[in-house]
Amino acid sequence: LQDEASYALNKEIGDCPTWTEATLYRSVLEIVARLSARTFVGIPLCRDDTWITRTKNLTTDILDTVYTITSYNPWIRPFVIPFLRPGRRLVWYNFFLGSKLKPQVTAILDAYKKTNFASRKAIPAEAILHENVTKENHNLVHWIIGNFKDPARVSVGEIGRIEIDMAFAAIHTSSTALTHVLFDIATHPEYANILREEIDAVVAEENHPEGRLLKTSTPK
């Protein structure tokens, strides 16, 4: 995540030696979408601009579908939604995410087939024969497949639907929260240095050779 944060900040905001205006929520949304993608699908898909754009838009399109369908009687909604534009868009999202995930899902399932499906244990990253899967690139797709009762029956479409749920739950909510945090700090700049000192103290305590935060850093 720290690697992806550096990449996303450089791509979205860049080096700002002088005062630079930015539309805060839009920039934060882009950065959070990229961080979420690194966790959910890993490299290289998290660097795919089309994937990032679609997962950002997914939440607003789902809400648009909800608002549209509520004008219909609950009994007829299942029959009406396939003919509505927002409903067709959701079907397209599932197809899009599934097609993008197919190479990774296929590689993971092939690794399972070469081991023992009956053990139901997560396959270590190094056992997965896929050029972009490394120990550092284990992501939600691996975890999802490893937690199915029968990984052999997992479909790309099913993984795509779960990824839709995760993107819907994570991206705009986290972006809104982080945007408010930044506005709060801008309103009370006297806390900025205090927060920096706290982070520096935790980094020093963790004593990572590259000065990184660790999983144990968060509660500190």
Side-chain angles (χ1 to χ4, degrees):
L1 281 173
Q2 288 169 88
D3 288 339
E4 202 62 30
S6 296
Y7 174 85
L9 284 164
N10 287 332
K11 185 174 179 64
E12 181 61 25
I13 297 175
D15 186 24
C16 302
T18 59
W19 177 261
T20 305
E21 289 189 3
T23 303
L24 186 57
Y25 185 76
R26 186 173 62 197
S27 297
V28 169
L29 181 63
E30 180 77 13
I31 292 165
V32 168
R34 291 184 178 281
L35 288 168
S36 299
R38 182 64 181 261
T39 305
F40 296 162
V41 297
I43 290 176
L45 204 45
C46 67
R47 303 283 174 86
D48 185 319
D49 289 339
T50 306
W51 177 276
I52 298 301
T53 299
R54 300 304 184 200
T55 51
K56 283 190 302 181
N57 294 341
L58 189 150
T59 299
T60 51
D61 284 342
I62 289 176
L63 293 176
D64 185 28
T65 304
V66 172
Y67 296 144
T68 302
I69 201 66
T70 51
S71 62
Y72 292 86
N73 185 289
W75 290 98
I76 65 170
R77 288 174 189 171
F79 306 102
V80 171
I81 196 167
F83 299 98
L84 301 177
R85 184 177 178 185
R88 292 197 302 271
R89 203 159 27 188
L90 293 189
V91 173
W92 179 86
Y93 271 118
N94 194 57
F95 172 79
F96 169 79
L97 268 64
S99 63
K100 286 282 190 178
L101 287 165
K102 187 174 181 179
Q104 184 176 176
V105 172
T106 301
I108 296 170
L109 292 178
D110 286 346
Y112 269 99
K113 290 171 185 175
K114 292 175 182 177
T115 57
N116 182 10
F117 270 115
S119 68
R120 296 182 186 174
K121 292 181 179 178
I123 297 293
E126 54 269 21
I128 299 170
L129 301 177
H130 186 255
E131 61 180 348
N132 296 304
V133 178
T134 66
K135 187 176 180 181
E136 292 74 29
N137 200 27
H138 232 231
N139 56 61
L140 184 69
V141 177
H142 302 77
W143 187 90
I144 291 169
I145 294 174
N147 281 274
F148 269 90
K149 290 182 178 180
D150 185 1
R153 300 179 65 181
V154 175
S155 69
V156 173
E158 199 161 12
I159 301 295
R161 284 190 291 275
I162 295 172
E163 291 284 351
I164 287 174
D165 291 343
M166 296 304 296
F168 177 80
I171 295 175
H172 283 265
T173 50
S174 301
S175 298
T176 301
L178 182 54
T179 299
H180 279 287
V181 166
L182 292 172
F183 277 132
D184 286 343
I185 295 173
T187 306
H188 303 282
E190 65 273 17
Y191 292 112
N193 284 333
I194 296 172
L195 291 168
R196 288 194 185 100
E197 290 167 3
E198 182 178 310
I199 293 169
D200 290 341
V202 172
V203 169
E205 183 181 339
E206 298 287 17
N207 198 30
H208 188 278
E210 296 179 10
R212 288 176 175 267
L213 293 164
L214 305 174
K215 190 174 182 179
T216 51
S217 308
T218 305
K220 294 179 180 180

